[in-house]
Amino acid sequence: MSLEKAFNKHLDLDGHEMPPSPASSSPSSEKKYSLATELVYTDAGDQYNASSMPIYQSATFKGEGNSYDYTRSGNPTRTHLERHMAKIMNAHRALVVSSGMAALDVITRLLKPGDEVVTGDDLYGGSNRLLKFLGTHGGIIVHHVDTTTPETVAAALSEKTAMVLLETPTNPLMKIVDIQTLSALSHKANPNAIVVVDNTMLSPYLQNPLDLGADVVYESGTKYLSGHHDVMAGVIATNSPDLGEKLYFPINASGCGLSPFDSWLLLRGVKTLAIRMEKQQQNAMAIASFLEGHGFKVRYPGLKSHPQYTLHWSQARGAGAVLSFETGSIATSERIVQAARLFGISVSFGCVNSLISMPCRMSHASIDPATRKERALPEDIIRLCIGIEDIGDLLDDLQQALVRAGAVTITQDGIEALEASAGETKQTTKLTDEP
Ligand code: PLP
């Protein structure tokens, strides 16, 4: 399909220049409802009044000059999801692709050899890996800096900065990055610099980077957006029609657009985002308080002890459901992870089930130990990704894991005391591989 045809300049009710969707994603009353309502609203508009958006499981569409001809270029189920995502991400345009990493891959295709990228020193391991590859194979110069300090970022910015890639909260260190300040600094250094934010950790339910000055936001749809770990997806959103077209190009050219069935799964999953996220962060807060109350060093932006608590709440509406804590010993951390029964040992997050992992052994294993040390990533850190289970069951499970691992002791008064095991750094069994 030609670009002209894909963008046939038919503006829909929400102002999107996209092929028509068989169903409207917004109530026709033109009233803007709250996000929880907009998330569930789709009007199937199907010839048989199907309540659920039909899956157009077809690679080709007959005829000439029609809105759709080939699914690599466009598919009605995917378009419908893209309009729905644009609506809930406060964006002019959203594009859905086969994974969160495919989203970053599409975004980095905006770069040319010699371009400079300024980014964080606590990035998701997969993003780090892709940027490293672009550095060695694509002639891109990548500067990893501490993005929590605007002065450090300012020192790395110049007119050669083509892209600034931010993540907040970072994972697993839960560092907060000031999106508004860094967007302004980046655009001041180079008005054409593209500020990109990975919003996977919070989802559009809790944070809208485009409203804070970012040019492009992307998320792994594999996480909160879908919520059930049954689909891989990535979503990219922008308010710039020009960037929207540039981002569509590699998707059409390479065929990484989300398949019709996966588009349908993501559309189904995202409808429950509000209710899942509310419950998940309520559980996360209880668990973070429990761990902090027992003397562990906990990183969670919902806790007042978080050093950037005020900054976080100035740009987000919630703390999310990922937290991390340290035990002072790799071996103790490993025992806790192995002893947990309800918490699945797994990479990833955002699922309705609670998960536990040691990032240095799993999601961040692709970052070499020397770099991890340089970036102050504690080897014993445990990441908890909290689900929607009963909070009593989660706390019981965590408590028994801490006791069995020897991380706490129960005294006669029923009070647990943190075992002093700091300083131990020996590694034992390998848990699982980075995907
Ligand atoms: N961004 C963050 C913060 C992530 O944690 C992940 C995956 O864990 C990704 C991006 C990549 O997403 P995906 O696994 O869907 O490719």
Side-chain angles (χ1 to χ4, degrees), residues 11 31 41 130 136 152 171 173 182 251 258-259 387 402 427:
L11 291 187
K31 172 172 159 49
Y41 190 92
L130 180 62
T136 52
T152 315
N171 152 32
L173 294 183
L182 295 191
I251 298 173
L258 197 61
S259 74
L402 294 173
Q427 256 175 246

Side-chain angles (χ1 to χ4, degrees), residues 157-285:
L157 292 168
S158 74
E159 68 283 353
K160 284 192 246 152
T161 308
M163 190 172 283
V164 176
L165 174 60
L166 306 172
E167 218 181 292
T168 182
T170 64
N171 152 32
L173 294 183
M174 310 304 291
K175 295 202 267 181
I176 309 301
V177 168
D178 185 340
I179 299 173
Q180 204 157 16
T181 302
L182 295 191
S183 298
L185 283 174
S186 307
H187 292 137
K188 194 171 157 213
N190 177 6
N192 295 321
I194 300 165
V195 177
V196 180
V197 177
D198 178 341
N199 200 42
T200 307
M201 284 280 279
L202 291 183
S203 89
Y205 186 65
L206 299 180
Q207 185 168 264
N208 302 102
L210 295 178
D211 294 348
L212 297 164
D215 302 295
V216 176
V217 60
Y218 75 100
E219 301 202 9
S220 165
T222 319
K223 312 289 192 294
Y224 293 107
L225 293 176
S226 57
H228 297 76
H229 282 180
D230 52 11
V231 61
M232 298 283 314
V235 184
I236 310 168
T238 181
N239 272 321
S240 153
D242 179 45
L243 279 176
E245 290 202 28
K246 285 182 177 148
L247 291 164
Y248 170 77
F249 182 86
I251 298 173
N252 182 34
S254 71
C256 65
L258 197 61
S259 74
F261 182 60
D262 287 349
S263 296
W264 180 85
L265 276 175
L266 182 51
L267 185 64
R268 183 177 68 161
V270 83
K271 291 182 183 178
T272 53
L273 174 64
I275 196 162
R276 282 186 280 108
M277 194 51 118
E278 290 291 355
K279 174 74 174 162
Q280 283 176 266
Q281 57 178 358
Q282 192 187 337
N283 281 352
M285 187 64 196

Side-chain angles (χ1 to χ4, degrees), residues 16 25 35 39 78-96 204 219 221 225-226 234-237 266-267 270 273:
H16 303 130
S25 171
L35 191 49
L39 279 166
R78 189 194 303 149
T79 305
H80 181 69
L81 171 65
E82 289 179 339
R83 288 177 176 213
H84 194 63
M85 294 310 304
K87 178 182 75 170
I88 66 177
M89 291 168 93
N90 291 350
H92 167 78
R93 178 129 197 232
L95 295 152
V96 294
E219 301 202 9
L225 293 176
S226 57
V235 184
I236 310 168
L266 182 51
L267 185 64
V270 83
L273 174 64

Side-chain angles (χ1 to χ4, degrees), residues 338-356:
Q338 307 278 6
R341 295 185 187 121
L342 261 183
F343 289 82
I345 302 177
S346 173
V347 291
S348 202
F349 56 88
C351 186
V352 287
N353 306 87
S354 291
L355 306 172
I356 189 166

Side-chain angles (χ1 to χ4, degrees), residues 73-155:
S73 307
N75 175 284
T77 313
R78 189 194 303 149
T79 305
H80 181 69
L81 171 65
E82 289 179 339
R83 288 177 176 213
H84 194 63
M85 294 310 304
K87 178 182 75 170
I88 66 177
M89 291 168 93
N90 291 350
H92 167 78
R93 178 129 197 232
L95 295 152
V96 294
V97 292
S98 55
S99 71
M101 288 319 303
L104 183 58
D105 183 49
V106 164
I107 293 165
T108 53
R109 306 260 176 157
L110 296 169
L111 298 166
K112 296 185 300 301
D115 279 351
E116 295 196 7
V117 176
V118 175
T119 190
D121 57 3
D122 184 23
L123 279 187
Y124 164 61
S127 307
N128 205 67
R129 178 170 50 194
L130 180 62
L131 291 176
K132 201 167 171 188
F133 178 83
L134 291 174
T136 52
H137 292 69
I140 310 294
I141 299 131
V142 184
H143 302 283
H144 288 279
V145 297
D146 178 0
T147 41
T148 58
T149 330
E151 301 76 52
T152 315
V153 178

